[in-house]
Amino acid sequence: MNSYENLEEYWEEQFDKGVECYYKAIKGDKKAGIEAHRLFEELLREDPNNTELMAYFGSVKALRARDTFDLREKGKYANEGLKLLDVAVLKDPSNALIRTLRGNVANNLPESRFHRTETAIEDFERIINMYERNSYGIPQTLCIETMKSLITAYERLGKIEEATEVANKLLDIDSSYQIPKFNSKLTSLPVANINDPINDEIHSLYTMAICSDEVSLLKVMKKVSRLMDKDSNNPILQAYNVHLNSIKNSHSFAGMVELFTNAYKTANLLDKLVSEYPTTYKIRYVRAMQSYRLPEFFFFRSSTAARDFQYLSAQYEKDPTIFSLAIYEDILLRLGECFVRLDMVEEAVKQWHKLVEFSSNKEIVTKANELINVFSFEELILDEIMKKPKEQLYESALKLHDIGVNGNEKAAKQSLALWEFIQKEYSSCPVAKFYYSASLTLLGRFFSDPYEVFSQSIKGLKKLNTSIPINDPRYIQLLLHRAYIQFSLPDTFFRCSDQIIKDFEAVIKMYQSSTDIDITQSQYLKVLADLGTVYEKKHFVHKAKEIWSELAKEDESLFYSEFLTEKGIRIED
């Protein structure tokens, strides 16, 4: 190809061929589906920001899911396809072609498994709305077919009144259309005004509980349980209850199958509740938070979280009374983080800039600015940094590591390269060994293949566990850092609990035997609480009771009193 024009012609030819194969695949041609997958994959690699390519590729993946008999592959293709379609809509929400492609895929997925009919309704309503605003922008034939699909989607969810209304509109446009006989047995009950019993205290405890704060988890579960006793049919309470129980159960599971089944069941139940109550904000919020917390490389739920956070932020901007400003600001922060996971960095930075411009909350503004800086990071020239004196070299490497921990893959890779150099230069330095190992472990976060995630993380963890002397008070903060790196990992996968116990026990021993040590009392009390939790998970019940009894004696402010009472520890007056 000697000219740009020829290159453009080749691209258009491949695109047209891909579309042709896609429509053949819709009619059942499996070979055409495989060829369409290959063509769109290659084209998207060349033009990764092309949202229409993204949507076609997502639709083709959904067809591959239909055509494969392997259940694991079926689920993988379906989830990958939906993710691509969701990202395409998030990036280009007013594109009728993309909305049509996603709507058709969502409308053809089994509702009992995917709960995506509500997504199809959203897309079809948007297309019809665009046609009504500007009939020249969208072909009438597309509008007619979309209305037929919308009627089917409404009927599937028992929304017969809405289906009938659209059918009558369609009859005005197409006089040959015959209104179908709807199945009256499917009619959904009218949604009554739902009592919202979740107050600010419960919401605050819930947000802390989902961040692995077991004290908050026990407190909020008790409060939600009491409310459930009075109103067990309340869908908002059901959403909070199912997610909180899922978190609690995940702490006790020993096997991967149990862990995955627990997460999938919870996601499925929350999808069902959102499908039944799509405009109930707190149900959408709980689903967003559960999806946000799940590992993307296994569950493909970041696009679900992003859709929910985006919906919630848009509704708040229409009516700021639906929830507090603090919740709205937190939603924007998390929406940006979801965008990053979906490779929508530009859109993420826009969300955080919006926060900086209007928020008066210094903590939120600081966090937003930090994220903007993290994802505006430009790669450094490492050769120049490596020539610096030791103190400046360590300072630069620590900054890179912090940026990597906050989510920037480029910084994480450069951190690893720089710490590898430093530990070779200063081979006897525990700090260098620690951060080199921590950087190795951190890199695992950025892989998309589960095998690569685990192999990289385990490689780093093995080195991390031998990086620092366990009884040297000079490195007590690194010891704590190592313990909490591993404390945040699922023990089902990484089997870290024995090492966590060793590190926590060493920290406690050093704190109790020295008055001059670099650890605060609040850190020490947290270690006592968390060590008891690890003992309990390992079924060392007697040891857990002993350490919590020590916590009860030391906790003069009674901060842990409710937690300890739940654990059966008597609090002395």
Side-chain angles (χ1 to χ4, degrees), residues 28-207:
D29 188 333
K30 293 181 183 179
K31 288 184 179 178
I34 293 169
E35 179 64 6
H37 190 281
R38 183 189 70 79
L39 288 165
F40 284 125
E41 186 173 31
E42 287 181 2
L43 290 168
L44 194 59
R45 197 179 296 123
E46 293 296 317
D47 189 3
N49 294 316
N50 188 313
T51 51
E52 291 187 359
L53 274 179
M54 210 178 282
Y56 270 117
F57 191 35
S59 299
V60 169
K61 280 188 177 289
L63 291 174
R64 293 293 301 277
R66 179 199 68 185
D67 293 339
T68 187
F69 292 105
D70 185 305
L71 290 178
R72 186 178 294 177
E73 287 294 296
K74 193 180 281 287
K76 179 175 175 286
Y77 278 128
N79 284 319
E80 287 176 351
L82 286 168
K83 178 178 175 178
L84 283 162
L85 286 159
D86 285 341
V87 171
V89 171
L90 286 165
K91 282 176 168 284
D92 198 358
S94 298
N95 188 308
L97 170 64
I98 293 171
R99 289 278 187 178
T100 300
L101 290 168
R102 186 178 73 163
N104 287 335
V105 167
N107 207 29
N108 284 295
L109 289 170
E111 177 64 12
S112 60
R113 166 66 180 84
F114 291 95
H115 300 285
R116 280 292 194 140
T117 303
E118 198 61 52
T119 304
I121 288 171
E122 176 196 323
D123 290 335
F124 296 149
E125 286 180 340
R126 183 68 175 263
I127 293 163
I128 293 164
N129 183 257
M130 285 191 278
Y131 175 81
E132 289 172 345
R133 290 203 317 267
N134 179 15
S135 59
Y136 296 104
I138 292 175
Q140 189 181 69
T141 52
L142 173 61
C143 182
I144 289 171
E145 290 305 311
T146 301
M147 292 176 91
K148 289 177 182 177
S149 297
L150 179 58
I151 290 163
T152 303
Y154 275 144
E155 185 180 16
R156 185 181 302 123
L157 295 186
K159 297 183 176 184
I160 305 304
E161 187 178 328
E162 291 89 338
T164 303
E165 185 180 341
V166 176
N168 287 324
K169 278 186 180 180
L170 179 53
L171 190 60
D172 291 340
I173 298 172
D174 180 7
S175 58
S176 66
Y177 174 71
Q178 293 186 338
I179 296 177
K181 292 181 179 179
F182 296 116
N183 186 350
S184 58
K185 292 180 182 179
L186 293 175
T187 305
S188 60
L189 295 171
V191 178
N193 289 329
I194 302 168
N195 173 46
D196 179 5
I198 304 297
N199 58 29
D200 290 345
E201 182 191 8
I202 294 174
H203 174 81
S204 178
L205 287 169
Y206 167 75
T207 56

Side-chain angles (χ1 to χ4, degrees), residues 417-428:
L418 198 51
W419 281 113
E420 185 174 19
F421 168 78
I422 292 170
Q423 76 130 16
K424 286 176 181 176
E425 288 290 304
Y426 306 99
S427 57
S428 62

Side-chain angles (χ1 to χ4, degrees), residues 346-357:
E346 187 178 335
E347 289 83 352
V349 171
K350 282 181 183 175
Q351 296 299 321
W352 298 325
H353 273 301
K354 187 199 290 190
L355 261 178
V356 171
E357 287 170 9

Side-chain angles (χ1 to χ4, degrees), residues 308-319:
D308 285 338
F309 284 141
Q310 193 172 62
Y311 172 83
L312 292 167
S313 64
Q315 295 307 308
Y316 177 87
E317 286 159 13
K318 292 176 186 174
D319 179 7

Side-chain angles (χ1 to χ4, degrees), residues 401 415-416 419-420 423 429-444 456-468 482 485:
H401 183 73
S415 170
L416 177 59
W419 281 113
E420 185 174 19
Q423 76 130 16
C429 176
V431 175
K433 287 180 182 177
F434 176 86
Y435 279 104
Y436 170 64
S437 306
S439 296
L440 268 177
T441 308
L442 172 64
L443 205 59
Q456 178 68 33
S457 299
I458 289 168
K459 180 182 175 183
L461 287 170
K462 283 181 179 178
K463 289 184 177 293
L464 194 65
N465 288 341
T466 58
S467 62
I468 45 176
R482 179 170 74 186
I485 286 173

